[in-house]
Amino acid sequence: MESEKKQSSSVSDVGAWGMNIVSSVGIIMANKQLMSSSGFGFSFATTLTGFHFALTALVGMVSNATGLSASKHIPLWELLWFSLVANVSIAAMNFSLMLNSVGFYQISKLSMIPVVCVMEWILHSKHYSREVKASVMVVVVGVGICTVTDVKVNAKGFICACTAVFSTSLQQISIGSLQKKYSVGSFELLSKTAPIQALSLLIFGPFVDYFLSGKFITTYQMTYGAIFCILLSCALAVFCNISQYLCIGRFSATSFQVLGHMKTVCVLTLGWLLFDSEMTFKNISGMVVAVVGMVIYSWAVDLEKQRNAKSTPQGKNSMTEDEIKLLKEGVEHIDLKDVELGETTKV
C-alpha cells in the first residue's frame, strides 16, 4: 500500500514537471513567432503577460463557481504583497533584457539559483549538502556555456538585473511559503493572485511597454494570425502558471530553478530544429554538462532525503520490548469493547 502511494506520488511529480516543461517551451515558441520581426512583430510583452493572467483568473473563477476547486481565506495584504513582488519581477526582467546584453541577461538568470539558495537559508534556515551545492554549480556552468555570449554591463541594466533576480527569487520562495502557511493548493493560490496581477498588468503594462518599445498597443494592427498566437500563448500560460505553482509547492524554489533549466536546453534544441538557429559545439557541450548536472542534482536531493529520514527519530510508533510486555499483561485483565457493535468480549 505504501509503495503504491510512493509510486503514485512519483508519477504526479513527473506529470507536474512534464506539464511545466511542455507548456513553458510551447509558450516560448508561440511568443517567438508572435513577437519576432519575422513573425507578427507584437512587441508588448508586459501587456501580453496581463492577458495571460486574465485568462488564468477567468479559469480560476469558473473552477471556484462550479465547485471544482475550493476557496480558502488568505489575507488581502498577503495577496497584494505577493502580486506586487511578482509584477516587479516581470517588469524588471523586461527592463533587464532591454538595457543589458543577452549574455549578461543570461548570467543574471543563472544567478537566481544561488540567490534562491541563500534566501531559503536566511528565511527558512534551509541547509544544503555538498552534493547538492556541487550539482548546482555543474548546472550553472553548463547552462552558462551554452547560453552566455557577449557580456556588457551598464549601471541602469545592472540595477534592473539585480531587482529582477531578487524579486523573482522572493516570488518563487513565497509561492511555497504561502501554500504551507495557509494550507492551500497550488491552483487555489493562483486563482487568488491571478486577478490582482491581471488587473495591475493590464493597467500599467501598456505604459511599461511604451517605455520599452516606444509604441502603444493601440497602434498595433491586429491580424488573425497574431490573434491566434495571442490566444495560444494565453492558453499555454494557464498550464505554465498552474504547473509552476504546483512544482514549487511539491518541491522547492531551488529545485524549480535547477530542473527548470531543462527548458533552456529544450528551447535551444527546438530553435535549431524549427527556426534554423545556429547550433555550435559550444552549445551542445554546454547542454550535455547542464543535463548531467540536473541528473546529479536529482540524485543528490534523493540522497539528502534518505539521510534526513535515517537521522529522524522513530518516536513512540516503535515500542520497546518492555512496553509490549506491559501491554500484554494489561490486556489479559481488560474487557475489550467493540464500540461500533456494542459487544463485550472477554480475552
Side-chain angles (χ1 to χ4, degrees):
M1 192 72 179
E2 200 169 312
S3 61
E4 285 180 10
K5 282 184 180 178
K6 283 183 180 178
Q7 191 175 4
S8 175
S9 177
S10 298
V11 171
S12 301
D13 292 347
V14 171
W17 278 119
M19 181 165 70
N20 184 256
I21 290 172
V22 170
S23 59
S24 297
V25 173
I27 201 172
I28 289 169
M29 294 293 116
N31 287 352
K32 188 167 185 176
Q33 180 63 28
L34 175 66
M35 304 180 80
S36 66
S37 55
S38 58
F40 297 104
F42 186 88
S43 57
F44 310 99
T46 314
T47 307
L48 179 63
T49 308
F51 293 155
H52 290 170
F53 279 106
L55 183 59
T56 304
L58 180 62
V59 171
M61 288 168 64
V62 170
S63 180
N64 288 333
T66 54
L68 291 174
S69 61
S71 180
K72 292 184 180 178
H73 175 71
I74 300 176
L76 181 61
W77 73 268
E78 292 255 40
L79 297 175
L80 291 173
W81 163 249
F82 176 84
S83 300
L84 175 64
V85 172
N87 287 350
V88 168
S89 164
I90 293 164
M93 276 292 187
N94 289 337
F95 278 115
S96 176
L97 184 59
M98 180 188 77
L99 296 171
N100 294 310
S101 64
V102 175
F104 185 74
Y105 175 75
Q106 289 294 343
I107 287 175
S108 68
K109 285 182 72 177
L110 286 173
S111 69
M112 284 182 200
I113 299 177
V115 169
V116 166
C117 290
V118 171
M119 288 181 71
E120 285 196 318
W121 172 62
I122 293 171
L123 297 174
H124 300 140
S125 302
K126 190 169 183 178
H127 296 276
Y128 299 91
S129 65
R130 285 177 299 175
E131 292 86 356
V132 169
K133 291 174 185 175
S135 63
V136 165
M137 289 307 300
V138 173
V139 173
V140 170
V141 169
V143 177
I145 289 171
C146 64
T147 59
V148 176
T149 50
D150 61 313
V151 180
K152 295 176 184 175
V153 188
N154 60 76
K156 288 182 181 178
F158 181 77
I159 292 169
C160 286
C162 289
T163 305
V165 169
F166 177 78
S167 57
T168 303
S169 301
L170 183 59
Q171 181 232 0
Q172 292 183 355
I173 291 171
S174 299
I175 290 173
S177 299
L178 287 173
Q179 287 186 50
K180 289 172 185 173
K181 186 176 180 180
Y182 296 104
S183 301
V184 295
S186 53
F187 186 71
E188 293 166 15
L189 178 60
L190 180 60
S191 63
K192 286 186 174 294
T193 58
I196 301 171
Q197 286 189 255
L199 185 64
S200 54
L201 286 170
L202 289 174
I203 292 172
F204 298 107
F207 298 100
V208 174
D209 289 330
Y210 177 76
F211 187 84
L212 291 169
S213 64
K215 300 175 188 175
F216 265 116
I217 191 171
T218 51
T219 62
Y220 181 75
Q221 297 294 318
M222 283 286 182
T223 62
Y224 288 115
I227 292 170
F228 173 77
C229 279
I230 289 171
L231 291 175
L232 177 62
S233 179
C234 289
L236 288 167
V238 173
F239 291 102
C240 187
N241 287 330
I242 292 171
S243 59
Q244 179 188 2
Y245 280 55
L246 196 62
C247 287
I248 294 174
R250 282 175 171 268
F251 309 104
S252 69
T254 305
S255 294
F256 183 75
Q257 279 290 332
V258 172
L259 299 180
H261 278 295
M262 178 58 76
K263 292 177 277 190
T264 306
V265 174
C266 293
V267 167
L268 288 171
T269 305
L270 286 174
W272 172 61
L273 292 172
L274 302 177
F275 297 99
D276 295 324
S277 299
E278 187 182 4
M279 181 68 75
T280 63
F281 175 75
K282 178 173 169 285
N283 295 137
I284 296 170
S285 59
M287 286 191 286
V288 170
V289 172
V291 171
V292 169
M294 290 172 206
V295 172
I296 295 171
Y297 178 81
S298 300
W299 166 79
V301 169
D302 284 338
L303 186 66
E304 196 171 46
K305 284 179 182 176
Q306 289 171 14
R307 285 174 181 168
N308 290 339
K310 286 178 181 177
S311 62
T312 304
Q314 290 289 318
K316 282 289 182 183
N317 289 334
S318 56
M319 295 185 290
T320 64
E321 289 183 14
D322 290 336
E323 287 173 326
I324 294 169
K325 188 178 178 182
L326 286 169
L327 183 62
K328 283 180 178 178
E329 288 174 357
V331 165
E332 289 175 359
H333 305 288
I334 295 175
D335 288 341
L336 296 179
K337 293 188 178 181
D338 190 324
V339 178
E340 289 184 330
L341 299 178
E343 295 177 352
T344 304
T345 309
K346 185 72 176 179
V347 179

